[in-house]
């Protein structure tokens, strides 16, 4: 009996490890610390609140995966009192429950925002009956707008995938990659090269992308130079590394995507994901959460700067769910020090913030369902 139990325990641990590796990068043990102390902070600009018209020409949707109010405030504390996010004067909350669970995963959470439909955990752009549902990115593309996706995870991972692919399970990475070829997306930058080239079906999707007139690049310095045409930027075999490894991947990808998409006179839809705030929460690492939160906030700053100049761009910043039940148990804004505890290594059920800046921002106040975000974006961007 005892041996059986031991064997079962070993299988359980193995199972959990394999599952975890499939889902996200795990933090190194030395980084699983409860306290973050900032070595430097960045200046936060204040942008004017003056826009043209009451409906936006462009939408930039930024998703901080796993970003609840504690993650935001941890970032604010670490940056000594301010974040770019504070430029958003219209703020609401999103209820993240999925169709089959009180606690959502990123697939159902992403699909709710991208399609306006609540679905089961693990679903990518499909409803509870596994039927494909059109995403805001596909709807924008059909209306002649330019479209883009940027992510610090693999571009085939749940959050970006839910904006472009239609698969019954989030683990079908190769099928998700193939779904990119069925669309006219103008630019996508993230990891996931292996899912395009090392495939069970023998297809080489990089070659197929080139035949569809995509510039395909794997190096950030080459991606940086591109400012028109179609671009597939595949910056890692699977996931991009942590901030110390990936460097300015997210800001460079964001700048490049904005340059390419802004060529379209009709407007654009761009989703940018800060994927690894979630992974920091899963790891119970304050350092991991805060460094990715601050990287994400500076990219929010880039989006706001673009919108402030353009005056016709709506910037939305939200999350698919909270991760870790992060609790701030101590800290100092003056010193940029923050201490946190994580009661769970999983997602939690709490509402997550929705921040808005630009024409139509006032639509995003109050408590809403995550699916309402899709309805509001569609009304503002495509019903004119
Ligand atoms: Mg994600
Ligand atoms: Zn997660």
């Amino acid at each position: 009996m005892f041996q059986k139990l031991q064997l079962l325990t070993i299988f359980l641990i193995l199972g959990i490890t394999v599952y975890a590796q499939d889902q996200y990068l795990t933090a190194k043990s030395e980084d699983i610390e409860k306290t973050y102390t900032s070595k430097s902070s960045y200046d936060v600009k204040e942008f004017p609140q003056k826009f043209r018209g009451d409906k936006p020409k462009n939408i930039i949707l930024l998703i901080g995966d796993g970003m609840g109010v504690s993650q935001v405030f941890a970032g604010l504390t670490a940056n000594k009192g301010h974040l770019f996010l504070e430029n958003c004067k219209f703020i609401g909350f999103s209820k993240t429950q999925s169709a089959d669970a009180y606690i959502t995963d990123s697939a159902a959470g992403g699909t709710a925002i991208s399609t306006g439909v609540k679905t089961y955990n693990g679903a990518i752009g499909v409803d509870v009956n596994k039927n494909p549902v059109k995403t805001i990115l596909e709807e924008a593309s059909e209306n002649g707008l330019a479209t883009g996706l940027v992510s610090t995870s693999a571009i085939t991972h749940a959050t970006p995938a839910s904006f472009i692919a239609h698969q019954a399970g989030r683990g079908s990475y190769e099928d998700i990659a193939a779904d990119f070829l069925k669309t006219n997306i103008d630019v996508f930058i993230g990891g996931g090269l292996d899912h395009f080239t090392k495939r069970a079906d023998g297809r080489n999707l990089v070659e197929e992308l080139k035949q569809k007139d995509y510039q395909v690049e794997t190096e950030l310095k080459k991606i940086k130079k591109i400012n028109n045409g179609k671009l597939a930027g595949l910056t890692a075999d699977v996931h991009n590394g942590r901030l110390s490894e990936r460097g300015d991947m997210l800001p460079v990808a964001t700048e490049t995507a904005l340059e390419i998409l802004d060529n379209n006179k009709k407007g654009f839809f761009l989703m940018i994901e800060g994927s690894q705030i979630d992974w920091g929460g899963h790891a119970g690492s304050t350092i991991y959460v805060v460094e990715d939160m601050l990287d994400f906030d500076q990219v929010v700053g880039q989006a706001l700067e673009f919108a402030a100049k353009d005056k016709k761009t709506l910037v939305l910043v939200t999350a698919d769910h909270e991760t870790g039940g992060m609790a701030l148990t101590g800290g100092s804004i003056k010193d940029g020090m923050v201490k946190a505890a994580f009661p769970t290594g999983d997602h939690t059920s709490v509402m997550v913030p929705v921040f808005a800046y630009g024409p139509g921002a006032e639509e995003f106040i109050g408590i809403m369902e995550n699916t309402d975000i899709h309805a509001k974006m569609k009304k503002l961007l495509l019903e004119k």
Side-chain angles (χ1 to χ4, degrees), residues 24 65 106 278-279 282 321 323 347:
Y24 47 81
D65 198 316
S106 292
D278 175 61
W279 302 351
H282 283 294
H321 54 73
T323 305
H347 303 165

Side-chain angles (χ1 to χ4, degrees), residues 321-339:
H321 54 73
E322 194 275 344
T323 305
M326 190 181 193
L328 307 188
T329 53
S332 157
I333 290 174
K334 180 173 73 62
D335 300 327
M337 189 272 281
V338 57
K339 191 176 172 210

Side-chain angles (χ1 to χ4, degrees), residues 65 106 157 159 273 275:
D65 198 316
S106 292
H157 205 237
T159 311
E273 186 200 18
S275 320

